[in-house]
Amino acid sequence: MADTMLSFSNDALATRFLTKEEVFKKAPHAALTNPSNPNVSGRYVQATTSTIIDDLDKLGWYPVEAKQCRAKAGSKGIRSFHMIAFQNPNVAIANTDGGVECFPRIILTNSHDGFNSFKFMVGCFRTICSNGLVIATNQMVDISIRHMNYDFEELRQMVAQSLQQVGEQTKIIQTMRDTTLDKASQRDLAIKAIRLRSAVDVKVEDIEENTIEEVLSTKRDDDKGDSLWCVFNRIQENAMHGDYTMKSRTNHRMRKMRPIKSVVKDLSFNKGLFQAASEYLPLAA
């Protein structure tokens, strides 16, 4: 198996970094310096997302993506949930040819409304298809930091903990590459992805065979094959982008699905799909 950590120059980046101004334009909630919720206690102590961006910069992690939740009707802008993904140009996971399979990412979620602490997850960004995914296993629990008493040393420890998880990611990805899925298991995983994506509970018998084939379809040579890694990435990309059709529950016509744009749905779908795929790993038996 290739080394977990490889060193690359900035020229090897999968995408360019965002400035703080660009982050704030994509996710204005991240720029808040005061609580968005007027009902929080006067004792509420807030460490800002802006501070975390500056501190992660000192540790070599820079923003590459930013999103925020839309305000719900009647919320009066109280909720300020947002997500920022950070990448380090000198940390990557190798593919079987010694090139870059994906860049590990630290995914920060936060809000300035008193409802959430800083939460950090570990994800991966595949260079060949610009897809991000969240690695979620029992060994990779989300790491939280409270706003109150936040300090730089705690963040440094969190980053070190995240880098330890990169080693686990590499082992899991390698095992997924070495695991072959038969056609029945591929179909089963595609159905799980379709049901995860649906806003309502979809019965297996109501899913058209053509829909399953579309979710399993291959867009590039790199994802051809029956390995769990290839099948998982085909399903993840097609499901995330909405590249399949589903029968409408109302008029029974086939309609094209929409891409996932919601921050919460993005994270929950990726977590759920990775957990579903992990059930096919030999170590899960």
Side-chain angles (χ1 to χ4, degrees):
M1 184 169 62
D3 290 340
T4 302
M5 301 293 185
L6 299 176
S7 181
F8 297 93
S9 68
N10 284 356
D11 293 335
L13 282 173
T15 185
R16 75 178 191 86
F17 299 129
L18 301 176
T19 64
K20 278 180 76 171
E21 290 71 24
E22 288 171 325
V23 169
F24 296 158
K25 186 174 182 179
K26 287 173 172 284
H29 292 332
L32 295 178
T33 55
N34 294 308
S36 58
N37 182 0
N39 300 317
V40 296
S41 164
R43 294 173 297 181
Y44 175 70
V45 178
Q46 173 176 292
T48 66
T49 296
S50 179
T51 299
I52 297 291
I53 294 173
D54 291 338
D55 286 351
L56 280 173
D57 182 283
K58 298 171 189 173
L59 297 171
W61 292 83
Y62 313 109
V64 285
E65 185 181 356
K67 297 179 182 179
Q68 71 177 35
C69 281
R70 293 180 183 176
K72 291 184 179 180
S75 68
K76 298 181 180 180
I78 288 176
R79 298 305 299 267
S80 53
F81 187 81
H82 51 279
M83 179 274 286
I84 303 174
F86 297 83
Q87 194 167 298
N88 186 320
N90 299 314
V91 180
I93 293 177
N95 60 26
T96 51
D97 298 323
V100 177
E101 177 71 47
C102 53
F103 286 97
R105 286 185 169 180
I106 292 174
I107 300 167
L108 163 71
T109 60
N110 186 35
S111 66
H112 294 129
D113 50 31
F115 294 111
N116 299 92
S117 58
F118 292 109
K119 186 170 284 186
F120 298 88
M121 291 160 279
V122 177
C124 277
F125 174 83
R126 289 188 79 211
T127 57
I128 64 165
C129 62
S130 301
N131 262 22
L133 61 98
V134 177
I135 303 290
T137 71
N138 292 333
Q139 291 76 37
M140 297 178 185
V141 225
D142 298 344
I143 306 164
S144 293
I145 294 179
R146 296 180 64 195
H147 284 239
M148 189 176 294
N149 300 324
Y150 163 79
D151 63 27
F152 179 70
E153 187 53 39
E154 187 176 10
L155 183 70
R156 187 195 299 275
Q157 292 172 9
M158 184 282 303
V159 171
Q161 193 172 343
S162 298
L163 288 176
Q164 289 176 356
Q165 293 184 4
V166 172
E168 292 301 314
Q169 286 184 14
T170 306
K171 293 175 186 175
I172 291 172
I173 289 173
Q174 185 60 49
T175 306
M176 291 176 78
R177 288 178 184 141
D178 296 337
T179 300
T180 300
L181 279 192
D182 58 33
K183 298 303 180 185
S185 297
Q186 293 181 32
R187 184 179 182 279
D188 183 54
L189 184 56
I191 289 171
K192 289 177 180 177
I194 293 165
R195 299 186 73 190
L196 275 170
R197 262 227 56 175
S198 299
V200 292
D201 189 25
V202 177
K203 295 179 181 178
V204 175
E205 57 267 28
D206 291 338
I207 301 174
E208 299 286 321
E209 285 301 320
N210 186 60
T211 297
I212 297 171
E213 291 173 7
E214 288 174 339
V215 171
L216 285 168
S217 63
T218 307
K219 285 186 168 58
R220 58 187 60 80
D221 290 342
D222 303 70
D223 287 338
K224 287 181 178 178
D226 297 324
S227 74
L228 176 55
W229 181 241
C230 287
V231 174
F232 166 77
N233 279 290
R234 294 202 301 266
I235 291 173
Q236 191 253 4
E237 181 175 10
N238 290 327
M240 284 288 296
H241 293 179
D243 291 334
Y244 65 99
T245 54
M246 278 282 289
K247 182 187 285 186
S248 168
R249 291 168 63 92
T250 52
N251 59 21
H252 303 294
R253 293 179 181 175
M254 299 301 287
R255 60 182 179 84
K256 191 176 187 303
M257 297 296 289
R258 296 177 180 177
I260 293 178
K261 294 186 178 180
S262 158
V263 178
V264 175
K265 183 69 175 178
D266 186 323
L267 295 174
S268 64
F269 173 77
N270 270 292
K271 275 187 172 183
L273 183 60
F274 195 87
Q275 287 169 342
S278 298
E279 294 172 6
Y280 297 92
L281 292 169
L283 50 88

